[in-house]
Amino acid sequence: MKPTETKSWQKLIDHQRVIARTSLRELFDANPNRAEEFSLEFDDILFDFSKNLIIEQTIRLLTDLATEQKLPEKIEAMFNGEKINFTEKRAALHIALRNLEDRPIKVDGWDVVPKVNAVLLKMRNFTEMIHSGFWRGYRGERITDIVHIGIGGSDLGPRLVCDALKEYRKPNINVHFVSNVDGLDIAQTLNQVVPSRTLFIIASKSFTTQETLLNATTAREWFLKNTNGNEKEIAKHFIAISTNEEACKAFGIPPENMFHFWNWVGGRFSLWSAIGLVIALYLGYENFLKLLEGAHQIDKNFRTEPFEKNIPVLMGLLCIWYTNFWKYNTYGIIPYDLRLKLLPDYLQQLIMESNGKRIASDGSEIDYPTSPIVWGRIGTDSQHSFFQLLHQGTHIVPIDFLACVEPEHPFTNHHDVLIANLIAQSEALTKGKTRQEVALELENSNLDPLEKTELLPHKVFPGNRPSTTILLRKLTPKTLGSLLACYEHKVFVEGVILDINSFDQWGVELGKQLAKSILKEIEAGKTSNALNSSTNKLLEYYLKHRKRYYE
Ligand code: F6P
């Protein structure tokens, strides 16, 4: 059912009008317990959602909406392996990848858990072989560099985790990520590694992705050119992670060098699968398991906690509240921690590829907004670029601020400054600065009266701009696992309420198809005129100047 057909929808529309008449300032002044009432702690995570435009009734109405949209039943369906990815007729079982208690989970009547455990064992053994030096390159040298080749979900999650948790890295192993088909990406990486000590991981769920296959082919050619050219040595330097065994074989990867996962793992939900092998190699298998454990804790919590105490559910509900009832159409992710600098990139795919949809479960077009546009950048840098708009612009952007209480470095004075800035920004967005406050400030300045009057409106901050703050006591594999699982489930909650399929991504297909046919024209060196005049002009311009460039 479309959410707009529920009883709660109209009630929320009315309720929004009531809340719009008050302000966050007033809400905080009226209730000294607000922060207590609107924050939750889970293990080492504090989730403070008190700076949102909500009262208790808002949460009640939003949870009613979730219930009307059958969220409890849908959560059970996901955990029980039902084919909730209805356009692809697949389960969405990333939770099975971190089901550390071995609860049986069946797909088509078969328990998937033994398969998951078998791959985990293979990952553990492989990781040990690399770390112990048992697995060596073709000249008998230890592997020192891992080049992970993948894109989208086969890149962003592992890249984020490896970058964020560098502190935990194993000695003498470097990782490099290559995703872009821009040849500079692979060229720069190959310049940094030595073939005899490098392991290439080709990570692709489908093993048909143009960018990944081209990068993998280039890496393979480079390897052969820079070694003895013996194809047999490939087995010591290339492994593949995929659901597509045949395509891996066709690429020349021997079966023992393949790590499997399954079509019930969505690409953007796959870092917990063998796609995360690079994480185990870089940080150690034990830390990969801790990452899974953190996610598993959240899975259990998500499945059992009442909605009003359930962090991922509340995250999803807040997003629906702003996108659908306040019509705020973007959503900012601002981590105040350099280690989380890739979080906005990762969440862009997770959220927008999942919920950037316009067709409901019954196939009809929908007439309400779905995913907000997700963007963001680390603080404090972002304060000096786009925060002007956040504070005084005409768009209102709900923000997730994130930070860690314990820094990784010894400069605790820096950390105090960083955290002071984070807290100040959320306070400033909430509170703003009124005309009276500005007038008072100006009164004490040396400006002449005319200047004071002219300047006054420019210095007013409307405030009342919502944000959520997530504080991790420490960034560890476990807390990061929990954090990422919260965002995964948040996305699912929104998808259920919006009555869309969060697990497919048909919208990426058209561009891929066209790129193939346009490439044919480029390779043939002439346009077919089958495309529109703009596209043809671009192609002609490219072909004309490309020739001149290469000649
Ligand atoms: O183009 C989108 C997409 O299909 C993503 O959903 C996926 O994560 C990415 O491409 C990579 O796909 P694959 O792992 O099959 O190479």
Side-chain angles (χ1 to χ4, degrees), residues 2-15 61 65 68-69 320 324-325 327 368-369 497-498:
K2 291 199 178 131
T4 43
E5 291 160 16
T6 61
K7 289 193 192 116
S8 317
W9 194 265
Q10 189 52 50
K11 287 188 192 162
L12 279 157
I13 292 176
D14 298 339
H15 179 68
L61 289 171
L65 173 65
E68 277 194 83
Q69 285 301 79
I320 295 284
N324 297 93
F325 297 96
K327 310 289 181 209
Y368 45 86
I497 293 176
L498 295 168

Side-chain angles (χ1 to χ4, degrees), residues 151-154 204-207 209 267-268 349 353 505 508 512:
I151 197 164
S154 297
S204 174
K205 179 177 169 182
S206 59
F207 225 79
T209 304
R268 53 196 172 274
Q349 186 204 18
E353 193 167 81
Q505 58 284 316
V508 302
K512 286 187 193 176

Side-chain angles (χ1 to χ4, degrees), residues 52 127 161 164 169 292 347 372 412 457 509:
N52 282 288
T127 306
V161 173
R169 72 183 173 273
L292 300 190
L347 290 180
T412 50
E509 297 299 326

Side-chain angles (χ1 to χ4, degrees), residues 173-314:
I173 294 274
N174 307 307
V175 287
H176 313 262
F177 287 87
V178 176
S179 58
N180 207 299
V181 78
D182 183 334
L184 195 57
D185 203 5
I186 186 94
Q188 284 176 339
T189 303
L190 295 178
N191 272 338
Q192 293 169 47
V193 296
V194 174
S196 56
R197 299 203 299 263
T198 300
L199 180 79
F200 292 92
I201 299 180
I202 308 165
S204 174
K205 179 177 169 182
S206 59
F207 225 79
T208 57
T209 304
Q210 187 188 42
E211 294 93 323
T212 300
L213 291 191
L214 184 54
N215 278 324
T217 306
T218 303
R220 193 175 185 276
E221 283 166 5
W222 172 88
F223 177 81
L224 291 171
K225 197 169 147 209
N226 290 283
T227 58
N228 57 12
N230 186 345
E231 298 237 347
K232 271 201 200 140
E233 315 293 18
I234 294 275
K236 296 196 180 82
H237 294 270
F238 281 77
I239 64 161
I241 302 164
S242 185
T243 57
N244 186 346
E245 198 169 324
E246 286 312 305
C248 292
K249 263 197 229 154
F251 187 83
I253 305 281
E256 58 281 13
N257 283 20
M258 278 187 59
F259 291 77
H260 290 265
F261 67 115
W262 308 273
N263 68 13
W264 43 260
V265 181
R268 53 196 172 274
F269 300 88
S270 67
L271 77 94
W272 325 96
S273 72
I275 290 287
L277 180 64
V278 63
I279 301 173
L281 290 168
Y282 190 47
L283 308 176
Y285 183 76
E286 67 287 3
N287 283 322
F288 181 66
L289 271 192
K290 285 187 192 145
L291 187 81
L292 300 190
E293 194 195 323
H296 180 55
Q297 296 304 334
I298 285 293
D299 294 344
K300 285 196 293 184
N301 185 268
F302 175 57
R303 193 177 182 191
T304 53
E305 274 302 292
F307 287 170
E308 64 281 4
K309 296 212 173 322
N310 190 319
I311 296 175
V313 170
L314 289 168

Side-chain angles (χ1 to χ4, degrees), residues 372-387:
I373 296 158
V374 181
W375 59 294
R377 196 181 172 204
I378 46 160
T380 57
D381 302 55
S382 48
Q383 286 176 208
H384 299 273
S385 62
F386 55 75
F387 266 53

